[in-house]
Amino acid sequence: MTGIVLQIILIQSDVTLKLVKNGRTLDLQSTKYYHDLSDMLITGLDKLLERNKIDTSSLKSFKIKGNLGQDSTSYKIASAFIAGLQT
């Protein structure tokens, strides 16, 4: 599998990780978070990748969606998570 987009959707205290290819959802992982968003992102992505038998090199782009502003701590944590994946 190549050309997969990882979407991180943040809505209040819910996070959804979604794998999308050619506009079609391949799989998603949703959970609630409190003060452990970084842990939820890591474990959620691990579950998605394992379940779909892909690795991070298949992820070609990343998007953050939701109703939180770019100044929110959750948005900044998700941005840092994506930056870590891109290295």
Side-chain angles (χ1 to χ4, degrees):
M1 290 184 166
T2 59
I4 299 171
V5 177
L6 173 64
Q7 294 181 356
I8 299 173
I9 304 160
L10 300 167
I11 300 176
Q12 296 181 340
S13 63
D14 293 321
V15 61
T16 299
L17 298 171
K18 185 187 291 189
L19 298 177
V20 178
K21 183 174 182 178
N22 298 327
R24 188 174 145 253
T25 300
L26 298 175
D27 198 358
L28 58 87
Q29 178 78 28
S30 295
T31 191
K32 289 200 171 297
Y33 69 93
Y34 300 98
H35 300 290
D36 56 352
L37 178 58
S38 57
D39 290 340
M40 295 296 103
L41 291 170
I42 292 167
T43 56
L45 182 60
D46 283 346
K47 288 177 184 178
L48 273 177
L49 296 176
E50 187 175 315
R51 202 165 47 221
N52 291 280
K53 296 179 177 44
I54 59 175
D55 62 24
T56 55
S57 65
S58 297
L59 302 174
K60 298 302 176 193
S61 65
F62 307 89
K63 292 182 182 178
I64 301 173
K65 296 181 168 187
N67 64 356
L68 303 176
Q70 292 183 357
D71 290 333
S72 74
T73 302
S74 296
Y75 186 92
K76 290 177 182 179
I77 291 170
S79 294
F81 176 73
I82 288 171
L85 290 172
Q86 292 174 323
T87 58

Coordinates of all heavy atoms in Angstrom, one line a residue:
M1 N 0.8 -1.2 0.0 CA 0.0 0.0 0.0 C 0.9 1.2 0.0 O 1.8 1.3 0.8 CB -0.9 0.0 1.2 CG -1.9 -1.0 1.3 SD -2.9 -0.7 2.8 CE -4.3 -1.7 2.4
T2 N 0.6 2.2 -0.9 CA 1.3 3.4 -0.9 C 0.4 4.6 -1.0 O -0.8 4.4 -1.4 CB 2.3 3.4 -2.1 OG1 1.6 3.3 -3.3 CG2 3.4 2.3 -1.9
G3 N 0.9 5.8 -0.8 CA 0.0 6.9 -1.0 C -1.1 7.1 0.0 O -2.1 7.6 -0.3
I4 N -0.8 6.7 1.3 CA -1.9 6.8 2.3 C -1.7 8.1 3.1 O -0.7 8.5 3.4 CB -1.7 5.6 3.2 CG1 -1.9 4.3 2.4 CG2 -2.7 5.6 4.4 CD1 -1.6 3.0 3.2
V5 N -2.9 8.7 3.4 CA -2.9 9.9 4.1 C -3.4 9.6 5.5 O -4.4 8.8 5.7 CB -3.9 10.9 3.5 CG1 -4.0 12.2 4.4 CG2 -3.5 11.3 2.1
L6 N -2.7 10.1 6.5 CA -3.1 9.9 7.9 C -3.8 11.2 8.3 O -3.2 12.3 8.3 CB -1.9 9.7 8.9 CG -2.2 9.7 10.4 CD1 -3.2 8.6 10.7 CD2 -1.0 9.7 11.2
Q7 N -5.1 11.1 8.7 CA -5.9 12.2 9.2 C -6.0 12.1 10.7 O -6.4 11.0 11.2 CB -7.2 12.3 8.5 CG -7.2 12.6 7.1 CD -8.6 12.7 6.5 OE1 -9.6 12.4 7.2 NE2 -8.7 13.0 5.2
I8 N -5.7 13.2 11.4 CA -5.9 13.2 12.8 C -7.1 14.2 13.1 O -7.0 15.4 12.7 CB -4.6 13.7 13.6 CG1 -3.5 12.7 13.3 CG2 -4.9 13.8 15.1 CD1 -2.2 13.2 13.8
I9 N -8.1 13.7 13.6 CA -9.3 14.5 13.8 C -9.5 14.7 15.3 O -9.7 13.8 16.1 CB -10.6 13.8 13.2 CG1 -10.3 13.6 11.7 CG2 -11.8 14.7 13.4 CD1 -11.2 12.5 11.1
L10 N -9.4 16.0 15.7 CA -9.5 16.3 17.2 C -10.8 17.1 17.4 O -11.0 18.2 16.8 CB -8.4 17.2 17.5 CG -7.0 16.7 17.4 CD1 -5.9 17.7 17.5 CD2 -6.7 15.6 18.4
I11 N -11.7 16.5 18.2 CA -13.0 17.2 18.5 C -13.1 17.1 20.0 O -13.4 16.0 20.5 CB -14.2 16.6 17.8 CG1 -14.0 16.7 16.3 CG2 -15.5 17.2 18.2 CD1 -15.0 16.1 15.4
Q12 N -13.0 18.2 20.7 CA -13.0 18.3 22.1 C -12.1 17.3 22.8 O -10.9 17.3 22.6 CB -14.4 18.3 22.7 CG -15.2 19.5 22.2 CD -16.6 19.5 22.6 OE1 -17.2 18.5 23.0 NE2 -17.1 20.7 22.6
S13 N -12.6 16.2 23.4 CA -11.7 15.3 24.1 C -11.7 13.9 23.3 O -11.3 12.9 23.9 CB -12.1 15.0 25.5 OG -13.4 14.5 25.6
D14 N -12.0 14.0 22.0 CA -12.0 12.8 21.2 C -10.9 12.9 20.1 O -10.8 14.0 19.5 CB -13.4 12.6 20.5 CG -14.5 12.2 21.5 OD1 -14.2 11.5 22.4 OD2 -15.6 12.7 21.3
V15 N -10.2 11.9 19.9 CA -9.3 11.9 18.8 C -9.6 10.7 17.9 O -9.9 9.6 18.4 CB -7.8 11.8 19.3 CG1 -7.5 10.6 20.1 CG2 -6.8 11.9 18.1
T16 N -9.6 10.9 16.6 CA -9.8 9.8 15.6 C -8.6 9.9 14.6 O -8.2 10.9 14.1 CB -11.1 10.0 14.8 OG1 -12.2 10.0 15.7 CG2 -11.2 8.9 13.8
L17 N -8.0 8.7 14.5 CA -6.9 8.6 13.5 C -7.5 7.8 12.3 O -8.1 6.7 12.5 CB -5.7 7.8 14.0 CG -5.0 8.4 15.2 CD1 -4.0 7.4 15.8 CD2 -4.3 9.7 14.8
K18 N -7.4 8.4 11.1 CA -8.0 7.8 9.9 C -7.0 7.6 8.8 O -6.2 8.5 8.5 CB -9.1 8.7 9.5 CG -10.0 8.1 8.3 CD -11.0 9.1 7.8 CE -12.1 9.5 8.7 NZ -13.1 10.3 8.0
L19 N -6.9 6.4 8.2 CA -6.1 6.1 7.1 C -7.0 6.3 5.8 O -8.0 5.6 5.7 CB -5.5 4.7 7.1 CG -4.6 4.4 8.3 CD1 -4.2 3.0 8.3 CD2 -3.4 5.3 8.3
V20 N -6.5 7.1 4.9 CA -7.3 7.4 3.7 C -6.4 7.2 2.5 O -5.3 7.6 2.5 CB -7.8 8.9 3.7 CG1 -8.6 9.2 2.4 CG2 -8.7 9.1 4.9
K21 N -7.0 6.5 1.5 CA -6.2 6.3 0.2 C -7.2 6.6 -0.9 O -8.3 6.1 -1.0 CB -5.7 4.9 0.1 CG -4.9 4.7 -1.2 CD -4.3 3.3 -1.2 CE -3.4 3.2 -2.4 NZ -2.8 1.9 -2.5
N22 N -6.8 7.5 -1.8 CA -7.6 7.9 -2.9 C -9.0 8.4 -2.5 O -10.0 8.0 -3.1 CB -7.8 6.8 -4.0 CG -6.4 6.4 -4.5 OD1 -5.5 7.3 -4.7 ND2 -6.2 5.1 -4.8
G23 N -9.1 9.1 -1.4 CA -10.4 9.6 -0.9 C -11.3 8.6 -0.2 O -12.4 9.0 0.3
R24 N -10.8 7.4 0.0 CA -11.6 6.4 0.6 C -11.0 6.0 1.9 O -9.7 5.8 2.0 CB -11.6 5.2 -0.3 CG -12.5 4.1 0.1 CD -12.5 2.9 -0.9 NE -12.7 1.7 -0.2 CZ -11.7 0.8 -0.1 NH1 -10.6 0.9 -0.7 NH2 -12.0 -0.3 0.6
T25 N -11.8 5.9 3.0 CA -11.3 5.5 4.3 C -10.9 4.0 4.3 O -11.8 3.2 4.0 CB -12.3 5.8 5.4 OG1 -12.6 7.2 5.4 CG2 -11.9 5.4 6.7
L26 N -9.7 3.7 4.7 CA -9.2 2.3 4.8 C -9.5 1.8 6.2 O -10.0 0.6 6.3 CB -7.7 2.2 4.5 CG -7.2 2.7 3.2 CD1 -5.7 2.6 3.2 CD2 -7.8 1.8 2.1
D27 N -9.3 2.6 7.2 CA -9.5 2.2 8.6 C -9.5 3.4 9.5 O -8.9 4.4 9.1 CB -8.4 1.2 9.0 CG -8.8 0.3 10.2 OD1 -9.9 0.5 10.8 OD2 -8.0 -0.5 10.6
L28 N -10.0 3.3 10.7 CA -9.9 4.4 11.6 C -9.9 3.8 13.0 O -10.3 2.7 13.3 CB -11.0 5.4 11.4 CG -12.5 4.9 11.5 CD1 -13.0 5.0 13.0 CD2 -13.3 5.9 10.7
Q29 N -9.3 4.6 13.9 CA -9.2 4.3 15.3 C -9.6 5.5 16.1 O -9.0 6.6 15.9 CB -7.7 4.0 15.6 CG -7.4 3.6 17.1 CD -7.8 2.2 17.4 OE1 -7.9 1.3 16.6 NE2 -8.1 2.0 18.7
S30 N -10.6 5.4 17.0 CA -11.1 6.5 17.8 C -11.0 6.2 19.2 O -11.1 5.1 19.7 CB -12.6 6.8 17.5 OG -12.8 7.2 16.1
T31 N -10.8 7.3 20.0 CA -10.7 7.1 21.5 C -10.9 8.5 22.1 O -10.8 9.5 21.5 CB -9.3 6.5 21.9 OG1 -9.4 6.1 23.3 CG2 -8.2 7.4 21.7
K32 N -11.1 8.5 23.4 CA -11.2 9.7 24.2 C -9.8 9.9 24.8 O -9.0 9.0 25.0 CB -12.2 9.6 25.3 CG -13.6 9.6 24.8 CD -14.5 10.0 26.0 CE -15.9 10.2 25.5 NZ -16.1 11.3 24.6
Y33 N -9.4 11.2 25.0 CA -8.2 11.5 25.7 C -8.4 12.6 26.7 O -9.4 13.3 26.6 CB -7.1 11.9 24.7 CG -7.3 13.3 24.0 CD1 -6.8 14.4 24.6 CD2 -8.1 13.4 22.9 CE1 -7.0 15.7 24.0 CE2 -8.3 14.6 22.3 CZ -7.8 15.8 22.8 OH -8.0 17.0 22.3
Y34 N -7.5 12.6 27.6 CA -7.6 13.7 28.7 C -6.3 14.4 28.7 O -6.2 15.4 28.0 CB -8.0 13.0 30.0 CG -9.3 12.3 29.9 CD1 -9.4 10.9 29.7 CD2 -10.5 13.0 30.0 CE1 -10.6 10.3 29.6 CE2 -11.8 12.4 29.8 CZ -11.8 11.0 29.6 OH -13.0 10.4 29.5
H35 N -5.4 14.0 29.5 CA -4.0 14.6 29.5 C -3.0 13.7 28.8 O -1.8 13.9 29.0 CB -3.6 14.9 30.9 CG -4.6 15.8 31.6 ND1 -4.7 17.1 31.3 CD2 -5.5 15.6 32.6 CE1 -5.6 17.7 32.0 NE2 -6.1 16.8 32.8
D36 N -3.5 12.7 28.0 CA -2.6 11.7 27.5 C -2.7 11.7 26.0 O -2.6 10.6 25.4 CB -2.9 10.4 28.1 CG -4.3 9.9 27.9 OD1 -5.1 10.8 27.5 OD2 -4.6 8.8 28.2
L37 N -2.8 12.8 25.3 CA -3.0 12.8 23.8 C -1.9 12.2 23.1 O -2.1 11.4 22.2 CB -3.3 14.2 23.3 CG -3.5 14.3 21.8 CD1 -4.6 13.5 21.3 CD2 -3.7 15.8 21.4
S38 N -0.7 12.5 23.5 CA 0.5 11.9 22.8 C 0.5 10.4 22.9 O 0.8 9.7 21.9 CB 1.8 12.5 23.3 OG 1.9 12.3 24.7
D39 N 0.2 9.9 24.1 CA 0.1 8.4 24.2 C -1.0 7.8 23.3 O -0.8 6.8 22.7 CB -0.2 8.0 25.7 CG 1.0 8.3 26.6 OD1 2.1 8.4 26.1 OD2 0.8 8.4 27.8
M40 N -2.2 8.5 23.3 CA -3.3 8.0 22.4 C -2.9 8.0 21.0 O -3.3 7.1 20.2 CB -4.5 8.9 22.7 CG -5.1 8.8 24.1 SD -5.7 7.1 24.5 CE -4.4 6.5 25.6
L41 N -2.2 9.1 20.5 CA -1.8 9.1 19.1 C -0.8 8.0 18.8 O -1.0 7.3 17.8 CB -1.1 10.5 18.8 CG -2.0 11.7 18.8 CD1 -1.2 13.0 18.8 CD2 -3.0 11.6 17.7
I42 N 0.1 7.7 19.7 CA 1.1 6.7 19.4 C 0.5 5.3 19.4 O 0.6 4.5 18.5 CB 2.3 6.7 20.5 CG1 3.1 8.0 20.3 CG2 3.2 5.5 20.4 CD1 4.0 8.3 21.4
T43 N -0.3 5.0 20.4 CA -0.9 3.7 20.5 C -2.0 3.5 19.4 O -2.1 2.4 18.8 CB -1.5 3.4 21.9 OG1 -2.5 4.4 22.2 CG2 -0.5 3.3 23.0
G44 N -2.7 4.6 19.1 CA -3.7 4.5 18.1 C -3.1 4.2 16.7 O -3.6 3.4 15.9
L45 N -2.0 4.9 16.4 CA -1.4 4.7 15.1 C -0.8 3.3 15.1 O -0.9 2.6 14.0 CB -0.3 5.8 14.9 CG 0.4 5.6 13.5 CD1 -0.6 5.8 12.4 CD2 1.5 6.7 13.4
D46 N -0.2 2.9 16.1 CA 0.4 1.5 16.2 C -0.7 0.5 15.9 O -0.4 -0.5 15.1 CB 1.0 1.2 17.5 CG 2.4 1.8 17.7 OD1 3.0 2.3 16.7 OD2 2.8 1.9 18.9
K47 N -1.8 0.6 16.5 CA -2.9 -0.3 16.2 C -3.4 -0.3 14.8 O -3.6 -1.4 14.2 CB -4.1 0.0 17.1 CG -3.9 -0.4 18.6 CD -5.1 0.0 19.4 CE -4.8 -0.2 20.9 NZ -5.9 0.2 21.8
L48 N -3.5 0.9 14.2 CA -3.9 1.0 12.8 C -2.9 0.4 11.9 O -3.3 -0.4 10.9 CB -4.1 2.5 12.4 CG -5.4 3.2 12.7 CD1 -5.3 4.6 12.3 CD2 -6.5 2.5 11.9
L49 N -1.7 0.7 12.1 CA -0.6 0.1 11.2 C -0.5 -1.4 11.3 O -0.4 -2.1 10.3 CB 0.7 0.8 11.5 CG 0.8 2.3 11.3 CD1 2.2 2.8 11.7 CD2 0.6 2.7 9.8
E50 N -0.6 -1.9 12.5 CA -0.5 -3.3 12.7 C -1.7 -4.0 12.1 O -1.6 -5.0 11.4 CB -0.5 -3.6 14.2 CG -0.2 -5.1 14.5 CD 0.0 -5.3 16.0 OE1 0.7 -4.6 16.6 OE2 -0.7 -6.3 16.5
R51 N -2.9 -3.5 12.3 CA -4.1 -4.1 11.8 C -4.2 -4.1 10.3 O -4.7 -5.0 9.7 CB -5.3 -3.3 12.3 CG -6.6 -4.0 12.3 CD -7.7 -3.3 13.2 NE -7.8 -1.9 13.0 CZ -8.1 -1.0 13.9 NH1 -8.1 -1.4 15.2 NH2 -8.2 0.3 13.7
N52 N -3.5 -3.1 9.6 CA -3.6 -3.0 8.2 C -2.3 -3.5 7.5 O -2.1 -3.4 6.3 CB -3.8 -1.6 7.8 CG -5.3 -1.2 8.1 OD1 -6.2 -1.5 7.3 ND2 -5.5 -0.5 9.2
K53 N -1.3 -4.0 8.4 CA -0.1 -4.6 7.9 C 0.7 -3.6 7.0 O 1.1 -3.9 5.9 CB -0.3 -5.9 7.2 CG -0.8 -7.0 8.1 CD -1.1 -8.2 7.4 CE -1.6 -9.4 8.2 NZ -2.6 -9.2 9.2
I54 N 0.8 -2.3 7.5 CA 1.6 -1.3 6.8 C 2.6 -0.7 7.8 O 2.4 -0.9 9.0 CB 0.7 -0.2 6.1 CG1 -0.1 0.5 7.2 CG2 -0.2 -0.8 5.1 CD1 -0.9 1.7 6.6
D55 N 3.6 0.0 7.3 CA 4.5 0.7 8.1 C 4.4 2.2 7.8 O 3.7 2.7 6.9 CB 5.9 0.2 8.0 CG 6.5 0.4 6.6 OD1 6.1 1.2 5.9 OD2 7.4 -0.4 6.3
T56 N 5.1 3.0 8.6 CA 5.0 4.5 8.5 C 5.5 5.0 7.2 O 5.1 6.1 6.8 CB 5.8 5.2 9.7 OG1 7.1 4.7 9.7 CG2 5.1 4.9 11.0
S57 N 6.3 4.2 6.5 CA 6.8 4.7 5.2 C 5.7 4.7 4.1 O 5.8 5.4 3.1 CB 8.0 3.8 4.7 OG 7.5 2.5 4.4
S58 N 4.6 4.1 4.4 CA 3.4 4.1 3.5 C 2.6 5.4 3.6 O 1.8 5.7 2.8 CB 2.5 2.9 3.7 OG 3.2 1.7 3.4
L59 N 2.8 6.1 4.7 CA 2.1 7.3 5.0 C 2.8 8.5 4.2 O 3.9 8.8 4.4 CB 2.1 7.7 6.5 CG 1.5 6.6 7.4 CD1 1.7 7.0 8.8 CD2 0.1 6.3 7.1
K60 N 2.1 9.0 3.2 CA 2.6 10.0 2.3 C 2.3 11.4 2.7 O 3.0 12.4 2.4 CB 2.2 9.8 0.9 CG 2.7 8.4 0.4 CD 4.2 8.3 0.5 CE 4.7 7.0 0.0 NZ 6.1 6.7 0.4
S61 N 1.2 11.7 3.4 CA 0.8 13.0 3.9 C 0.0 12.9 5.2 O -0.5 11.8 5.5 CB 0.1 13.8 2.8 OG -1.1 13.3 2.5
F62 N -0.1 14.0 5.8 CA -0.8 14.1 7.1 C -1.7 15.3 7.2 O -1.3 16.4 6.6 CB 0.3 14.2 8.2 CG 1.3 13.1 8.1 CD1 2.5 13.3 7.4 CD2 1.2 11.9 8.8 CE1 3.5 12.3 7.3 CE2 2.1 10.9 8.7 CZ 3.3 11.1 8.0
K63 N -2.8 15.2 7.8 CA -3.8 16.3 8.0 C -4.3 16.3 9.4 O -4.5 15.2 10.0 CB -4.9 16.2 7.0 CG -4.6 16.3 5.6 CD -5.8 16.2 4.7 CE -5.4 16.4 3.3 NZ -6.6 16.2 2.4
I64 N -4.5 17.5 10.0 CA -5.1 17.6 11.3 C -6.4 18.3 11.0 O -6.5 19.4 10.4 CB -4.2 18.5 12.2 CG1 -2.9 17.8 12.4 CG2 -5.0 18.6 13.6 CD1 -1.9 18.6 13.3
K65 N -7.5 17.7 11.5 CA -8.8 18.3 11.3 C -9.5 18.4 12.7 O -9.0 17.8 13.6 CB -9.7 17.4 10.4 CG -9.2 17.3 9.0 CD -10.2 16.4 8.2 CE -9.9 16.4 6.7 NZ -10.9 15.7 6.0
G66 N -10.6 19.2 12.7 CA -11.3 19.2 14.0 C -11.8 20.6 14.3 O -11.6 21.6 13.5
N67 N -12.3 20.8 15.5 CA -12.9 22.1 15.9 C -12.0 22.8 16.9 O -12.4 23.7 17.5 CB -14.3 21.9 16.4 CG -14.3 21.1 17.7 OD1 -13.3 20.5 18.2 ND2 -15.5 20.9 18.3
L68 N -10.7 22.4 17.0 CA -9.8 23.1 17.9 C -8.9 24.0 17.0 O -8.5 23.7 15.9 CB -8.9 22.1 18.6 CG -9.6 21.0 19.4 CD1 -8.6 20.0 20.0 CD2 -10.4 21.6 20.5
G69 N -8.6 25.2 17.6 CA -7.7 26.1 16.9 C -6.3 25.7 16.9 O -5.9 24.8 17.7
Q70 N -5.5 26.4 16.0 CA -4.1 26.0 15.9 C -3.3 26.4 17.1 O -2.2 26.0 17.3 CB -3.5 26.7 14.7 CG -4.1 26.1 13.4 CD -3.4 26.7 12.1 OE1 -2.6 27.6 12.2 NE2 -3.8 26.1 11.0
D71 N -3.9 27.2 18.0 CA -3.2 27.6 19.2 C -3.5 26.7 20.4 O -2.9 26.8 21.5 CB -3.6 29.1 19.7 CG -3.0 30.1 18.7 OD1 -2.0 29.8 18.1 OD2 -3.7 31.2 18.6
S72 N -4.3 25.7 20.2 CA -4.7 24.8 21.3 C -3.5 23.8 21.5 O -2.7 23.5 20.6 CB -5.9 24.0 21.0 OG -5.7 23.0 20.0
T73 N -3.4 23.4 22.8 CA -2.3 22.5 23.1 C -2.5 21.1 22.4 O -1.5 20.6 21.9 CB -2.4 22.2 24.6 OG1 -2.2 23.4 25.3 CG2 -1.3 21.2 25.1
S74 N -3.7 20.7 22.2 CA -4.0 19.4 21.5 C -3.5 19.5 20.0 O -2.9 18.6 19.5 CB -5.4 19.1 21.5 OG -5.8 18.8 22.8
Y75 N -3.7 20.6 19.4 CA -3.3 20.8 18.0 C -1.8 20.8 17.9 O -1.2 20.2 17.0 CB -3.8 22.2 17.4 CG -3.5 22.3 16.0 CD1 -4.4 21.9 15.0 CD2 -2.3 22.9 15.6 CE1 -4.2 22.1 13.6 CE2 -2.0 23.1 14.2 CZ -3.0 22.7 13.3 OH -2.7 22.8 11.9
K76 N -1.1 21.5 18.9 CA 0.3 21.5 18.9 C 0.9 20.2 19.2 O 1.9 19.8 18.6 CB 0.8 22.5 20.0 CG 0.5 24.0 19.6 CD 0.9 25.0 20.6 CE 0.5 26.4 20.2 NZ 0.9 27.4 21.2
I77 N 0.3 19.4 20.0 CA 0.8 18.0 20.3 C 0.6 17.2 19.0 O 1.6 16.4 18.6 CB 0.0 17.4 21.4 CG1 0.4 18.0 22.7 CG2 0.3 15.8 21.5 CD1 -0.4 17.6 23.9
A78 N -0.5 17.3 18.3 CA -0.7 16.5 17.1 C 0.3 17.0 16.0 O 0.8 16.1 15.3 CB -2.1 16.7 16.6
S79 N 0.6 18.3 15.9 CA 1.6 18.8 15.0 C 3.0 18.2 15.3 O 3.7 17.8 14.3 CB 1.6 20.3 15.0 OG 0.4 20.8 14.5
A80 N 3.3 18.2 16.5 CA 4.6 17.6 16.9 C 4.7 16.1 16.6 O 5.8 15.6 16.2 CB 4.9 17.8 18.4
F81 N 3.6 15.4 16.8 CA 3.5 14.0 16.5 C 3.8 13.8 15.0 O 4.6 12.9 14.6 CB 2.1 13.5 16.9 CG 1.9 12.0 16.5 CD1 2.5 11.0 17.2 CD2 1.0 11.7 15.5 CE1 2.2 9.7 16.9 CE2 0.7 10.4 15.2 CZ 1.3 9.4 15.9
I82 N 3.1 14.6 14.2 CA 3.3 14.5 12.7 C 4.8 14.8 12.3 O 5.4 14.1 11.5 CB 2.3 15.4 12.0 CG1 0.9 14.8 12.1 CG2 2.7 15.6 10.5 CD1 -0.2 15.7 11.6
A83 N 5.3 15.8 12.9 CA 6.7 16.2 12.6 C 7.6 15.0 13.0 O 8.6 14.8 12.2 CB 7.1 17.4 13.4
G84 N 7.4 14.3 14.0 CA 8.2 13.2 14.4 C 8.0 12.1 13.4 O 9.0 11.3 13.1
L85 N 6.9 11.9 12.8 CA 6.7 10.8 11.8 C 7.4 11.2 10.5 O 7.8 10.3 9.7 CB 5.2 10.6 11.5 CG 4.3 10.0 12.6 CD1 2.9 10.1 12.2 CD2 4.8 8.6 12.8
Q86 N 7.5 12.5 10.2 CA 8.1 12.9 9.0 C 9.7 12.8 8.9 O 10.3 13.0 7.9 CB 7.7 14.3 8.6 CG 6.2 14.4 8.3 CD 5.7 15.8 8.1 OE1 6.1 16.7 8.7 NE2 4.8 15.9 7.1
T87 N 10.3 12.6 10.1 CA 11.7 12.5 10.1 C 12.2 11.1 9.8 O 11.6 10.1 9.9 CB 12.3 12.9 11.5 OG1 11.7 12.1 12.5 CG2 12.0 14.4 11.7

